[in-house]
Amino acid sequence: MAITRRHLLQSGAFAAVAPALASGLPAVSPAQAQTAAGEPVWRHALSLFGDIKYPADFKRFDYVNPDAPKGGVARMIAIGTFDNFNIAVAGVKGTIAPAAALINETLMTRSQDEVVTEYGLLAESASHPDDFAWVTYRLRKEARWHDGKPVTPEDVIFSLEVLKKYSPMYASYYRHVVKTEKTGERDIKFSFDAPGNRELPTIVGELQVLPKHYWEGTDSQGHPRDISATTLEPPLGSGPYRIKEFVAARSVRLERVKDYWGANLPAQIGQNNFDEMRFEFFRDNTVALEAFKADQADWISENSAKQWATQYDFPAVAEKRVVKEEFPINDSGRMQGFVFNLRRDQFKDARLRRAFNFAYDFEEMNKQLFYGQYKRIDSYFDGTELASSGLPEGQELQLLETVRDKVPAEVFTTPYTNPVGGNPEAVRANLRESMRLLKEAGYDVRDRKLTDAAGKPVSLEILVQDPSGERIALFYKPSLERIGVNASIRIVDDAQYQNRLRSFDFDMIIDVFPESLSPGNEQREFWGSQTADQPGSRNTIGIKNPAVDTLIDKVIFAKDRAGLVAATKALDRVLLWNFYVVPQFTYGFSRYARWDRFSHAEPLPKYGHSGLPSLWWYDADKAARIGKRS
């Protein structure tokens, strides 16, 4: 299953990792199993791993503090900017990604101490047949918008239609939902294009629901609202927070909804504890850190190894008024790398792409730029049990045999490894292998410039959107020049970067593909042929590979966990041996620094990272000890 709300991950703020495709049948409680013959089995929760921890009558999640005090202000940092509150056209221009999830709600919400289990939020229950051909969700009768109107099946149907129509991400993610209909006073049935896709009932539960009556109404000036256009009119939501005030492109201030309809839901108890949440937007993390040091923000998520190692030595840290902490990442993996745009003819030869990998000296970059904190990525599912290793065997090998004629021979004969540098001898050996591959592919070096068979010099522009990306690209640039590639680097603002990505107007970028513990339909958007030419899709590479398409289907339609793992490992191998990216690096922890004014329940849930901000609360005693905010 996808890491949903991709814009949250890209924002650099508190990342939300959605539940993921697993393998077993959704569990049913004993009470539900007693449903009369012929009647639907209504489930209070869905888990594709087969186990549901909390029964239908559970009171709260184990990891929350039900007595957490309500109050205080949390000031948070978001990287980027915004000029739009309409999530239906998110990706066209910047939105308030980190705040949107607190305003809008989904049908279901995940627990953070289970791998992939969702419990009812806007919906009280769900029902689907054994073949997963459809799912019906039943809304809670008490679910309300902030204007007091009930959340209706019409709202849900409207939301799916407009999100699929105007958002490439949602269009791909929900492409298998072919019919949505109201089947009862509070029931909505989603029919799928084929049975057997186990993930679909659950990912429908991730749908963000929008108010139809609001979007079909008029604004304060009497103008009709337009769901297809960007807007800075504060949206109507159903969640625990609403927008109180904002400064376009700079800040958003949320206030807790005092009469929030879902405050006493078991899945919400002990959460959403701050009276106000403020998001300050910064163009880059360097400036954000200075604001944090000046006590203009309470938390900062640090993505720079250099800054983490060198820039947190200010007095408040020594005085323990600022706490540095790392939280293990247990529920996801990732691929991050220099991404080739295969829509460019010069990148179509896999030997050239592989040569670029031999030119990349990760070990030296890690030493010089990252203080040795990172490890090299060697899988598209790095950090999970789904990462391939060694040679394929068993069920994985059987799956690969079905596409043997469409994949590189090395998939069956050679374990994938990245070249290792870090010293002059290794670097020279890697560069020699790089040049050998290029010569084999028909390239030559003339006047220290790499040229193709037609004599055309090989050149590329690495497009980046922030100083941290520029720093990484600048380190790679001399290595490419050593094999004769004319490499330039261009840094552009966030809006221009997103527009160029949407139209695939780049040679090479640095991209991140987050992966859940159980991948599913989102793999089509990442690597599927049907999304390669779809503007705004996540297939930034432009992969059109029938073997990849076949293996994606094996992942999606896996009948059990073992089959899912085997299919994902097979897919991983084929992606790796096609050298679609130059893999970069990863770190198994989230780094946070905070002013010590807050507390959380112990221990934090295994799959919740830091638990920020939902599981924390303002601690007045701690705040008094460290002094007033600046």
Side-chain angles (χ1 to χ4, degrees), residues 18 74 137 382 454 556:
Y137 276 94
D382 195 277
I556 292 172

Side-chain angles (χ1 to χ4, degrees), residues 21 197 199 380-381 386 388 392-408 411-412 515 518-530 543-560 562-578 580:
L21 166 66
N197 192 328
E199 184 184 28
Y380 280 75
F381 303 88
L386 305 165
S388 60
E393 57 186 20
Q395 190 173 357
E396 181 189 355
L397 178 60
Q398 294 173 12
L399 290 171
L400 287 168
E401 289 288 357
T402 66
V403 292
R404 178 182 279 271
D405 61 333
K406 299 181 180 68
V407 303
V411 166
F412 297 92
E515 295 287 1
S518 296
N521 287 272
E522 80 289 343
Q523 300 302 301
R524 285 185 173 138
E525 184 167 344
F526 285 166
W527 338 111
S529 297
Q530 68 268 33
I543 298 173
K544 293 182 180 179
N545 185 321
V548 170
D549 292 336
T550 296
L551 293 173
I552 289 173
D553 282 345
K554 298 296 185 183
V555 170
I556 292 172
F557 292 97
K559 295 182 178 180
D560 52 41
L564 175 69
V565 172
T568 307
K569 288 184 175 182
L571 173 63
D572 186 31
R573 291 183 195 278
V574 174
L575 292 170
L576 288 168
W577 278 105
N578 275 284
Y580 292 130

Side-chain angles (χ1 to χ4, degrees), residues 472-494:
I472 294 168
L474 283 170
F475 189 94
Y476 190 31
K477 182 178 187 296
S479 299
L480 293 176
E481 291 172 341
R482 292 183 70 178
I483 60 173
V485 175
N486 178 24
S488 62
I489 299 165
R490 175 168 293 189
I491 183 168
V492 297
D493 64 34
D494 187 64

Side-chain angles (χ1 to χ4, degrees), residues 81-86 94-96 99 103 214 220 230-235 242-255 276-281:
T81 186
F82 72 93
D83 57 4
N84 175 31
F85 291 153
N86 179 10
T95 60
I96 52 165
I103 300 168
Y214 170 85
S220 60
T230 61
T231 180
L232 282 174
E233 181 185 11
R242 60 162 63 96
I243 293 177
K244 183 176 183 179
E245 61 183 35
F246 68 94
V247 178
R250 294 184 57 184
S251 64
V252 176
R253 185 177 177 184
L254 304 184
E255 62 179 352
E276 286 190 9
M277 298 178 68
R278 301 174 186 173
F279 295 86
E280 296 292 334
F281 286 74

Side-chain angles (χ1 to χ4, degrees), residues 38 163 165 366 552 562 569:
L163 290 172
K165 182 175 181 179
N366 193 32
I552 289 173
K569 288 184 175 182

Side-chain angles (χ1 to χ4, degrees), residues 420-616:
V420 177
N423 61 71
E425 293 78 13
V427 169
R428 284 195 293 269
N430 288 339
L431 290 174
R432 284 195 296 269
E433 179 61 14
S434 178
M435 296 308 302
R436 184 194 70 78
L437 288 165
L438 291 168
K439 185 175 182 179
E440 181 182 297
Y443 293 87
D444 195 10
V445 177
R446 302 176 185 175
D447 298 325
R448 294 187 295 182
K449 294 181 179 179
L450 186 69
T451 59
D452 62 17
K456 180 181 178 181
V458 176
S459 63
L460 79 156
E461 177 187 88
I462 305 176
L463 183 69
V464 297
Q465 65 176 331
D466 56 49
S468 62
E470 183 182 33
R471 185 162 161 257
I472 294 168
L474 283 170
F475 189 94
Y476 190 31
K477 182 178 187 296
S479 299
L480 293 176
E481 291 172 341
R482 292 183 70 178
I483 60 173
V485 175
N486 178 24
S488 62
I489 299 165
R490 175 168 293 189
I491 183 168
V492 297
D493 64 34
D494 187 64
Q496 185 178 358
Y497 185 83
Q498 292 302 324
N499 285 334
R500 289 189 62 174
L501 248 62
R502 181 175 175 80
S503 59
F504 307 122
D505 180 20
F506 61 88
D507 297 326
M508 175 178 280
I509 58 172
I510 297 170
D511 206 352
V512 179
F513 302 93
E515 295 287 1
S516 72
L517 295 179
S518 296
N521 287 272
E522 80 289 343
Q523 300 302 301
R524 285 185 173 138
E525 184 167 344
F526 285 166
W527 338 111
S529 297
Q530 68 268 33
T531 63
D533 297 321
Q534 183 182 57
S537 83
R538 287 291 282 118
N539 190 349
T540 51
I541 301 169
I543 298 173
K544 293 182 180 179
N545 185 321
V548 170
D549 292 336
T550 296
L551 293 173
I552 289 173
D553 282 345
K554 298 296 185 183
V555 170
I556 292 172
F557 292 97
K559 295 182 178 180
D560 52 41
R561 179 67 185 175
L564 175 69
V565 172
T568 307
K569 288 184 175 182
L571 173 63
D572 186 31
R573 291 183 195 278
V574 174
L575 292 170
L576 288 168
W577 278 105
N578 275 284
F579 306 102
Y580 292 130
V581 306
V582 176
Q584 291 182 349
F585 43 82
T586 188
Y587 189 64
F589 296 84
S590 297
R591 309 180 189 96
Y592 281 93
R594 70 180 186 275
W595 288 88
D596 194 19
R597 301 184 177 101
F598 307 92
S599 294
H600 62 79
E602 294 283 1
L604 286 169
K606 181 177 181 179
Y607 303 110
H609 296 282
S610 65
L612 290 167
S614 63
L615 304 183
W616 293 66

